[in-house]
Amino acid sequence: MTEIAAAYPKSLQNYLGGAGESALQQAYEIGRSALNAGIGLVAIADITMLVCGRCWRTTRPTTSASAS
């Protein structure tokens, strides 16, 4: 599961960076690998939520004190 949890964030970053269809294909393959490895859908959803949370924390704009 750690390989999948490690590969997924990079795939999402690629997609958000504009990689388009190739990133979606990569994410599909990661999901298929997870299912084939016996990782359930709930665990995949948990990984997705963790990755999305990390992306949100690292990409959201910060507010500056001078912007008020």
Side-chain angles (χ1 to χ4, degrees), residues 21-67:
E21 194 66 33
S22 65
L24 292 178
Q25 181 64 33
Q26 184 181 27
Y28 172 81
E29 293 299 328
I30 292 168
R32 295 298 299 169
S33 294
L35 290 173
N36 289 336
I39 298 171
L41 192 55
V42 172
I44 294 170
D46 286 342
I47 293 168
T48 301
M49 293 302 293
L50 288 171
V51 169
C52 287
R54 287 182 199 146
C55 286
W56 172 253
R57 286 190 299 278
T58 60
T59 60
R60 69 179 176 179
T62 57
T63 57
S64 67
S66 62

Side-chain angles (χ1 to χ4, degrees), residues 5-17:
Y8 187 72
K10 185 64 177 170
S11 178
L12 181 59
Q13 288 172 347
N14 288 342
Y15 176 72
L16 294 174

